[in-house]
Amino acid sequence: MCPPQGALPPGREVLSRPAPARLAELCNSLVPDGRETITTDGEPAQSEAAKEERWLAKGVALRAFFYICGTHLFAGFVWLLFYLGQHAQK
């Protein structure tokens, strides 16, 4: 049983009869209610919750990257102040 055609974004259709080589993959990709999730472009159809979860994970990674970079820049600035203070003419 396939989901209704309107359930997927435009340009993506659900495969009704997969190739035999992909049968095992298709059996493992069934959602709990038995609908197929493999589409014609080879990517699984995703729910809005899955898309939002991926977006949140990207946001966390991006935030961590900026925090780490900012901390290193601040530490470098403090190190530069100590270096310049040590070599100042007294």
Side-chain angles (χ1 to χ4, degrees):
M1 176 179 193
C2 296
Q5 188 66 21
L8 296 175
R12 296 180 78 185
E13 299 175 16
V14 174
L15 295 176
S16 59
R17 295 180 2 174
R22 292 180 50 111
L23 188 58
E25 180 182 339
L26 178 62
C27 290
N28 293 331
S29 68
L30 294 177
V31 292
D33 62 356
R35 294 181 296 135
E36 299 173 356
T37 58
I38 300 295
T39 58
T40 55
D41 60 359
E43 296 179 9
Q46 296 177 347
S47 67
E48 291 300 318
K51 289 178 184 176
E52 181 156 344
E53 186 174 339
R54 183 180 302 159
W55 180 80
L56 289 174
K58 287 181 182 179
V60 169
L62 187 63
R63 197 173 319 124
F65 173 76
F66 281 115
Y67 287 159
I68 290 170
C69 287
T71 303
H72 280 82
L73 286 173
F74 180 72
F77 177 71
V78 171
W79 177 83
L80 180 65
L81 289 177
F82 277 102
Y83 179 81
L84 292 175
Q86 182 180 12
H87 291 89
Q89 297 291 332
K90 295 180 182 178

